Amino acid sequence: MCDPSCSPNSPARGDRRTRSDVDEDRAFVGPVEDEPEPEDGELSTESEPEALAPAPRNERLDEYMQKLSSGRPIQWSSSLKDDLADLVNSLAGEGRDEQVQALTRIVIHYSKSSSKDIKAEAIESVDTLLKEMCFPGCDDLRAGIMEDLLGLLQDEDLTENVKVLSGIFEHQVPVLVRRGRYEALSKIVHVLAAMSGHKSSVSVEKKEAAEAVLGTVGRDDVLEVLLSDVQSGDPERQQYTMHVLIDLGKKAIEPLVEIVKTSQEVRVRKSSISILKEIGDH
């Protein structure tokens, strides 16, 4: 795993070789800004013809880079999944952020595949991409990838795949907080809080996965940043922060009470009291 070399203060900045009759529906061209996401059935779940032996890794990486640069199709395969970390860091090392983003969008689009196997592999690959990014400014790119992922996945997708996604969320929630991406954070917390609630009908395993992510949001270092935004003068950040803290529930009560006791600003005390009332009503 990448060592934590990309701090919030960092400066900004393969295919398997198959026979020619491989099902073209498993290839995704792109991506472009307004590329539609795959429709059900677009990605074939039929077995592929027998593959030829994979090319050496360096050759595959070169081939992926050439395809990304030219916009040619990249077919989902186990070798692509295995090579993702090397590919992302190779591209980033050359300052090719657009290609890094293009690759991650391809992977994210495959996370919507109608094939459960491809979907599961793609979601795991998103986790790999995010963990292995080792270059200056990667926090911003990580946060952007999370926004892309959450923009494609509906609430029911989050619920269905929470056991896989929880690992991603646990690692990336602090990144979203550090970079101020509260809309994405609010969506995660809202869906997972509903799943972990006593009225939820999801399985025990899914509830436990949701609780693990909410526990990360309730960590002292994360709450400290969220609570500072309650006291900020930015209405948009305050609004999203309030939603997150309300959905977080009991974990937010003690620090909010402390703000009510100690803050010298009437506006801040009122906001905190309002959040506490909302938590009590849930």
Side-chain angles (χ1 to χ4, degrees):
M1 180 181 294
C2 167
D3 58 25
S5 59
C6 44
S7 70
N9 297 320
S10 296
R13 63 136 228 93
D15 295 77
R16 285 177 298 180
R17 294 189 166 186
T18 57
R19 304 183 190 279
S20 58
D21 58 350
V22 169
D23 187 354
E24 290 296 329
D25 285 343
R26 289 177 63 89
F28 177 78
V29 181
V32 294
E33 202 61 35
D34 56 354
E35 186 81 39
E37 56 188 71
E39 300 293 336
D40 286 345
E42 181 178 349
L43 300 174
S44 171
T45 58
E46 296 179 0
S47 59
E48 294 182 1
E50 183 181 351
L52 300 175
R57 172 169 286 201
N58 288 345
E59 187 176 331
R60 293 202 304 272
L61 292 179
D62 288 342
E63 188 176 347
Y64 295 146
M65 290 183 182
Q66 290 169 10
K67 286 184 176 182
L68 284 172
S69 297
S70 63
R72 286 183 290 152
I74 290 185
Q75 177 186 310
W76 187 261
S77 67
S78 57
S79 60
L80 173 61
K81 177 178 179 290
D82 293 340
D83 290 341
L84 281 172
D86 283 350
L87 179 56
V88 165
N89 285 301
S90 295
L91 290 168
E94 298 176 11
R96 297 165 66 178
D97 288 354
E98 289 185 6
Q99 282 80 11
V100 173
Q101 291 172 320
L103 177 66
T104 56
R105 288 193 186 110
I106 289 171
V107 177
I108 288 169
H109 272 279
Y110 274 118
S111 72
K112 289 286 289 181
S113 169
S114 57
S115 162
K116 289 186 177 180
D117 290 341
I118 293 177
K119 178 185 289 188
E121 281 195 349
I123 291 174
E124 289 175 8
S125 296
V126 174
D127 193 24
T128 299
L129 285 170
L130 292 165
K131 286 179 181 176
E132 297 297 337
M133 288 182 178
C134 298
F135 53 89
C138 63
D139 260 7
D140 281 327
L141 186 54
R142 282 172 171 166
I145 290 170
M146 288 296 296
E147 288 177 325
D148 284 346
L149 178 64
L150 291 165
L152 273 179
L153 298 178
Q154 303 299 316
D155 290 359
E156 55 267 27
D157 296 317
L158 299 181
T159 301
E160 179 186 349
N161 297 286
V162 67
K163 288 193 286 185
V164 179
L165 289 167
S166 62
I168 300 177
F169 293 159
E170 283 188 74
H171 285 102
Q172 303 309 319
V173 157
V175 175
L176 292 174
V177 172
R178 285 200 300 266
R179 309 320 287 173
R181 309 296 179 90
Y182 289 149
E183 184 174 0
L185 179 65
S186 179
K187 179 174 181 176
I188 292 171
V189 174
H190 182 70
V191 173
L192 299 188
M195 288 178 60
S196 66
H198 66 278
K199 294 181 180 180
S200 173
S201 59
V202 303
S203 68
V204 172
E205 291 82 0
K206 288 185 176 181
K207 282 189 177 183
E208 289 175 348
E211 281 289 347
V213 179
L214 294 174
T216 299
V217 182
R219 275 179 8 198
D220 289 347
D221 58 324
V222 175
L223 276 178
E224 183 179 349
V225 177
L226 293 174
L227 293 168
S228 70
D229 284 318
V230 172
Q231 303 177 72
S232 75
D234 185 330
E236 185 176 1
R237 289 173 76 102
Q238 282 180 327
Q239 191 67 26
Y240 280 123
T241 302
M242 288 176 68
H243 289 315
V244 169
L245 292 172
I246 290 167
D247 283 329
L248 200 56
K250 293 180 180 179
K251 295 179 179 67
I253 290 177
E254 186 176 340
L256 284 168
V257 169
E258 188 64 24
I259 289 179
V260 173
K261 289 179 178 178
T262 61
S263 177
Q264 301 299 310
E265 297 185 37
V266 174
R267 172 183 55 80
V268 171
R269 292 200 301 273
K270 284 184 176 179
S271 295
S272 300
I273 291 170
S274 176
I275 296 171
L276 287 167
K277 284 181 179 179
E278 290 283 350
I279 291 173
D281 290 340
H282 272 55

